[in-house]
Amino acid sequence: MSEPEKPAAGTPPGAAPPPWERDPVTPQWQDAAEDPLVVALRAALPSAVLAARVMAGDLTLTLERAALSEVAAALKRDHGFTYLIDICGADYPKRTPRFEVVYHLHRLSDHRRIRLKVATDEATEVPSLTAVFRAANWPEREVFDMYGVRFAGHPDMTRILTWEGFNGHPLRKDFPVEGIDTGAAIYPEYYGETAGPINKAGTGWQRKSAEAAPAAAPAAAPAAKPAAPPAPPAKPPGEGA
Amino acid sequence: MSETSVPGEPPRDTLFDLREMEVNLGPQHPATHGVLRLKVKLDGERIVDCYPIIGYLHRGTEKLFELHPFFQNVPHTDRMDYVAAATNNLAYVGAVEKLLGLTVPPRARYIRTILAELQRISSHLLWLATHAIDIGAMTPFFYTFREREEILDLFEDYCGARLTLNCMRPGGQPYDLPAGWVEKCAAFVDKFPAKVDEYEELLTENRIWKRRTVGIGVLEPEVAIDYGITGPMLRGSGVAFDLRKALPYEAYGEVEFDVPVGKNGDTYDRYLVRMEEMRQANRIVRQCLDKLPEGPLMAKRPRVVRGAADAEVYHGIEGPKGEIGFYIVGDGTTNPYRCHVRPPSFINLQVVPAMVQGALIADLIAVIGTTDIVLGEVDR
């Protein structure tokens, strides 16, 4: 049932053991500044590529955020990277800026894969790649939905997996795993926008019962708002209340 | 409101006020294969615009990955594309192996290839059954589910589960093939090509089937690449891109198989491509059964595995629906710091609005069927 204990069949004594019997070798970062692709990109777009490293065969380029769409267009036009495989975000709360957006590109001629990375924070928009690759549309919406990273020039910058009005960005490291009281999003007039995970005081429901604030039952018609609603939502549309 | 809103058709005089109508298809609709909702703008029976709304099945799988050790995450992958669990497992364990630097022993690689190809057949059988029912052909359903049952029986004999298999571990395979499994599988493989002929007899030259699929939902190769489409959807348009050939993993570099491609990029060509893929998958299983090497099943690895700090890998494989890939970031702990899924259904669904512009609403059903989406994977 559990671990197989059979010895490798047919290994002569004294020979080097096969790779699966040796200790695993974890991949390491290697510098890739001499890679022809990196050299060509640096020549065409100076100061766009901040770092070039390789891990496990995948070239990783850390890019200047403003130069992202130029680099992507150059890769597509001059270097044959016509395939945008995927876009995803990542949250590193200890870094400044906090978020990272990761792109994977593929070249059909020799099946080479590269990874592009840009760093950003909540306030700074990342250039959208929808003008270069139409594939970027939904993945960018997903990054916005999950991390709150906005993309400049995206035709439809709305949430995609959660609903309009959801309060928070679920894949951020400070978003509680147990979830939030989604009533906070549905009834912003009762819960306010601080009811989400950003507020350490707890979810909207917990806060409300702790304060035991408005005496009037919130079950009343939504038209009849309580006299003193909590902080009114001041976020731009699309972010949700 | 416009009277010339049908692209490619001349303006026509109308007796009645021609108004566009917005119709909601789904989320509870049998032809949307789950909880897909489409806002469709119609001009008569012609589709002017289509806007998919997804997320009804969002369960935060990527957040769950961050909470569990590398080895406990395999069952989460089962529940994304729940009709193709083995290929999901394979993509995930492949990414973890790349991150940890593990080398899988040959016998485990062959068993994985067999499981993945059986899964491809079973996923395509389910696609054929539901796609044919959507279009109005009831009979193929009964034939394809007969063979799908046998594949699920094989899975059950191997790992005890029929759908959510959890049949792979980072580093190798958890168990060897049980006694008699190879013979049972070989018996299935021997008779399966005749079964594919049987399905083809029902559909390939069927006049109604051709009227409903030929020239419907045409996807040009350049458009498909621009939209990042992978899998049979892409190969139906004539682009011979298959990760099993392009970047061989497991035992695919050691077996022979062809990559079928279509010509016109329509629903009918994608149907033909998938039918041929089932035959080729069968061929791969046959070769793997013949070549199945002896030896250990699990690579040497520490009891507690930790992803190296500041390490990140991406590993993609050819799933039944397209490229399924995992991007994993390690931070020196036993859990992935970040584990992102590249779901083929999600990316492929993006192109549906472009494929149905100006089509009839009945063609929308055919296009959703040919896209072969599983909403568990679209929404994760």
Side-chain angles (χ1 to χ4, degrees):
Chain A
M1 260 320 264
S2 58
E3 304 303 315
E5 275 127 28
K6 272 192 265 173
T11 311
W20 51 90
E21 287 180 12
R22 287 180 232 149
D23 285 325
V25 185
T26 39
Q28 300 294 329
W29 284 112
Q30 278 146 7
D31 186 60
E34 286 91 53
D35 192 287
L37 181 65
V38 181
V39 174
L41 271 181
R42 282 196 162 133
L45 297 158
S47 81
V49 182
L50 301 178
R53 299 189 292 170
V54 175
M55 174 175 270
D58 289 342
L59 177 66
T60 303
L61 305 177
T62 310
L63 301 179
E64 181 62 44
R65 181 174 50 237
L68 171 69
S69 49
E70 285 168 46
V71 173
L75 282 168
K76 182 180 179 179
R77 188 184 57 234
D78 305 332
H79 301 281
F81 285 92
T82 49
Y83 234 109
L84 176 69
I85 291 292
D86 193 23
I87 303 177
C88 75
D91 179 13
Y92 300 93
K94 286 176 191 152
R95 292 189 198 167
T96 332
R98 171 178 173 177
F99 299 109
E100 204 167 63
V101 186
V102 184
Y103 304 78
H104 287 95
L105 302 185
H106 183 99
R107 177 158 67 191
L108 284 172
S109 55
D110 59 352
H111 301 299
R112 179 167 193 196
R113 298 204 145 179
I114 60 168
R115 185 183 299 138
L116 311 177
K117 286 167 49 159
V118 292
T120 185
D121 55 25
E122 200 172 355
T124 322
E125 290 186 325
V126 178
S128 169
L129 288 193
T130 42
V132 187
F133 301 99
R134 274 184 278 184
N137 189 331
W138 283 20
E140 283 183 356
R141 283 176 68 192
E142 191 190 326
V143 173
F144 162 64
D145 193 358
M146 295 292 138
Y147 290 98
V149 173
R150 295 179 160 276
F151 291 87
H154 191 285
D156 181 22
M157 193 81 270
T158 51
R159 288 180 177 272
I160 187 163
L161 292 178
T162 60
W163 58 94
E164 275 312 308
F166 185 82
N167 192 4
H169 298 285
L171 277 179
R172 287 187 181 181
K173 287 288 175 182
D174 51 10
F175 190 93
V177 172
E178 66 275 13
I180 56 163
D181 180 3
T182 51
I186 298 168
Y187 305 111
E189 62 270 38
Y190 297 126
Y191 296 98
E193 74 171 305
T194 50
I198 301 104
N199 189 336
K200 293 277 184 329
T203 64
W205 181 81
Q206 290 159 334
R207 243 162 44 89
K208 201 176 132 289
S209 31
E211 288 166 10
K225 288 187 182 182
K235 288 191 178 180
E239 178 77 13
Chain B
M1 282 301 275
S2 125
E3 291 177 19
T4 56
S5 54
V6 181
E9 282 189 19
R12 49 202 157 114
D13 298 326
T14 44
L15 192 58
F16 304 102
D17 184 20
L18 192 82
R19 255 187 299 196
E20 286 173 1
M21 186 168 61
E22 235 176 56
V23 176
N24 235 327
L25 188 75
Q28 306 291 339
H29 189 283
T32 57
H33 295 222
V35 283
L36 170 68
R37 181 176 155 212
L38 295 163
K39 267 203 299 199
V40 190
K41 202 184 268 180
L42 294 174
D43 174 9
E45 224 186 321
R46 295 269 173 193
I47 295 166
V48 179
D49 201 5
C50 166
Y51 188 82
I53 297 167
I54 60 171
Y56 293 92
L57 216 55
H58 180 61
R59 294 151 293 174
T61 308
E62 288 178 14
K63 189 91 173 169
L64 288 175
F65 280 128
E66 295 171 8
L67 299 173
H68 296 108
F70 286 107
F71 282 67
Q72 291 180 13
N73 275 331
V74 182
H76 290 315
T77 65
D78 291 335
R79 283 148 184 85
M80 292 189 310
D81 182 356
Y82 40 76
V83 299
T87 42
N88 292 4
N89 292 168
L90 185 57
Y92 174 73
V93 298
V96 175
E97 280 153 10
K98 205 167 163 185
L99 182 78
L100 302 175
L102 299 172
T103 311
V104 181
R107 187 172 174 85
R109 288 195 285 119
Y110 273 79
I111 295 176
R112 284 177 177 187
T113 310
I114 294 172
L115 292 171
E117 289 309 308
L118 286 176
Q119 188 73 80
R120 186 181 317 277
I121 296 175
S122 119
S123 172
H124 281 2
L125 287 176
L126 185 93
W127 157 81
L128 180 61
T130 51
H131 185 39
I133 282 199
D134 287 348
I135 289 185
M138 187 65 153
T139 322
F141 181 91
F142 301 106
Y143 288 85
T144 58
F145 267 54
R146 182 185 60 191
E147 273 72 62
R148 186 168 175 267
E149 275 309 291
E150 293 189 30
I151 294 177
L152 298 190
D153 285 343
L154 285 169
F155 287 146
E156 192 178 1
D157 289 352
Y158 177 64
C159 62
R162 293 165 70 82
L163 280 178
T164 51
L165 303 177
N166 186 19
C167 62
M168 294 172 196
R169 304 283 182 274
Q173 285 299 96
Y175 355 87
D176 203 351
L177 298 172
W181 197 90
V182 172
E183 292 73 33
K184 197 173 167 184
C185 186
F188 172 79
V189 168
D190 286 341
K191 70 175 183 192
F192 184 67
K195 306 290 182 189
V196 182
D197 295 341
E198 220 170 83
Y199 317 143
E200 288 225 54
E201 234 165 80
L202 285 169
L203 295 172
T204 304
E205 290 305 322
N206 184 320
R207 209 187 328 158
I208 305 171
W209 179 259
K210 286 183 98 166
R211 286 289 286 274
R212 290 296 307 276
T213 54
V214 174
I216 302 298
V218 176
L219 188 58
E220 301 295 334
E222 303 79 35
V223 176
I225 290 175
D226 203 22
Y227 271 100
I229 306 298
T230 48
M233 281 280 282
L234 175 70
R235 293 191 285 274
S237 300
V239 183
F241 172 46
D242 187 322
L243 280 174
R244 293 175 293 175
K245 286 272 193 215
L247 303 163
Y249 51 93
E250 309 307 332
Y252 288 108
E254 297 153 40
V255 292
E256 281 177 20
F257 63 99
D258 301 327
V259 177
V261 290
K263 269 197 276 234
N264 308 320
D266 59 3
T267 304
Y268 186 68
D269 275 16
R270 287 187 285 270
Y271 155 78
L272 291 179
V273 164
R274 287 193 176 101
M275 298 309 267
E276 186 55 30
E277 271 189 16
M278 285 200 268
R279 290 205 180 86
Q280 296 299 330
N282 198 60
R283 204 173 140 202
I284 296 172
V285 177
R286 173 86 263 172
Q287 294 174 59
C288 287
L289 288 174
D290 292 342
K291 287 185 179 177
L292 193 63
E294 291 298 320
L297 290 166
M298 189 60 87
K300 183 178 178 187
R301 56 170 171 83
R303 280 279 149 194
V304 179
V305 294
R306 293 173 202 280
D310 188 34
E312 54 186 65
V313 294
Y314 176 86
H315 178 70
I317 67 156
E318 188 72 32
K321 296 170 179 66
E323 170 170 354
I324 171 155
F326 281 80
Y327 169 69
I328 301 183
V329 180
D331 66 344
T333 66
T334 54
N335 296 9
Y337 181 80
R338 171 83 171 105
C339 181
H340 173 75
V341 192
R342 190 260 185 220
S345 298
F346 177 76
I347 308 281
N348 288 358
L349 182 59
Q350 253 198 112
V351 79
V352 165
M355 282 164 78
V356 298
Q357 293 293 331
L360 295 171
I361 194 159
D363 298 337
L364 173 62
I365 303 299
V367 168
I368 296 171
T370 193
T371 313
D372 193 17
I373 48 164
V374 165
L375 269 294
E377 186 180 68
V378 173
D379 297 341
R380 284 153 288 144

